[in-house]
Amino acid sequence: FDRVVAQPVAAEGDEAALDADLIAACEAAYEGVVSNMDGYRIADAVECIFQMLRRANKYIDETSPWSLAKDESQKARLGTVLYNLMEAIRWGAVMLHPFIPATAEEILSELNTEALGYASIGTPEKFGALQAGVSVKDSKVLFARIDEAKMPAELEAERQAKIEREKQEALAR
């Protein structure tokens, strides 16, 4: 696919049900975010987003894009699966923008949404707004994985560095 957004193809049967369920999860998440934000329930709004992202993860397991990629006859289905996942990521980024604006904008930039001619923030518009034929950009790690074994030592080093800085500032006064 060479990083070009594929034209989604309507699925049938179980595949259509999986696609529809992902779309419904995105729409429900947006409705939940709006409702919870209107009620000043910030944590609940964020939970709606992460519930949708967990559904997208399940969609990956259900559709097995790695298997589809090995079968040339499944190329159209693979394109649809990847399209749906990019849309779910776009929806997540738009909804997360108020909470993590720089990261959300980076995600939207990697999806090349500026090439689509609509704003990166606000509403996610409708599912299916990504246009086929647009190239997505190279992605990079947005959140580094935490090494649990190294974390205590890193935190202690940061704490010691802060103590040392405070000592130096106190001596400079």
Side-chain angles (χ1 to χ4, degrees):
F1 284 91
D2 206 22
R3 287 190 235 140
V4 175
V5 177
Q7 179 67 44
V9 177
E12 296 178 5
D14 291 342
E15 292 175 347
L18 291 174
D19 296 350
D21 193 43
L22 179 63
I23 293 167
C26 291
E27 292 168 347
Y30 181 71
E31 291 170 14
V33 167
V34 170
S35 173
N36 283 302
M37 292 298 283
D38 285 348
Y40 301 103
R41 294 183 308 275
I42 309 304
D44 293 338
V46 173
E47 178 55 30
C48 289
I49 300 166
F50 282 100
Q51 187 174 9
M52 184 267 302
L53 293 172
R54 284 189 294 274
R55 178 62 190 98
N57 268 342
K58 184 178 177 188
Y59 180 80
I60 292 169
D61 290 337
E62 294 166 336
T63 58
S64 305
W66 54 89
S67 295
L68 296 172
K70 294 176 185 176
D71 184 350
E72 189 63 32
S73 70
Q74 294 293 318
K75 187 173 182 176
R77 179 65 185 152
L78 175 61
T80 299
V81 167
L82 295 177
Y83 180 91
N84 289 340
L85 288 168
M86 285 187 287
E87 267 292 76
I89 291 167
R90 183 181 68 84
W91 276 58
V94 170
M95 290 185 284
L96 284 169
H97 190 271
F99 309 103
I100 51 171
T103 302
E105 288 174 13
E106 181 64 30
I107 293 167
L108 292 166
S109 175
E110 289 177 8
L111 289 174
N112 204 6
T113 56
E114 59 270 14
L116 301 176
Y118 55 81
S120 63
I121 57 173
T123 67
E125 304 204 5
K126 63 181 177 79
F127 199 94
L130 281 176
Q131 296 172 1
V134 173
S135 294
V136 295
K137 298 177 182 176
D138 285 338
S139 63
K140 58 185 172 199
V141 175
L142 297 173
F143 301 102
R145 193 172 291 271
I146 295 173
D147 185 339
E148 292 180 37
K150 293 181 182 179
M151 182 55 79
E154 290 172 359
L155 290 173
E156 180 59 25
E158 286 179 26
R159 189 178 78 76
Q160 290 298 328
K162 181 180 177 186
I163 291 170
E164 189 58 37
R165 276 193 312 275
E166 289 171 353
K167 283 182 186 176
Q168 294 300 324
E169 290 171 5
L171 290 174
R173 291 183 207 156

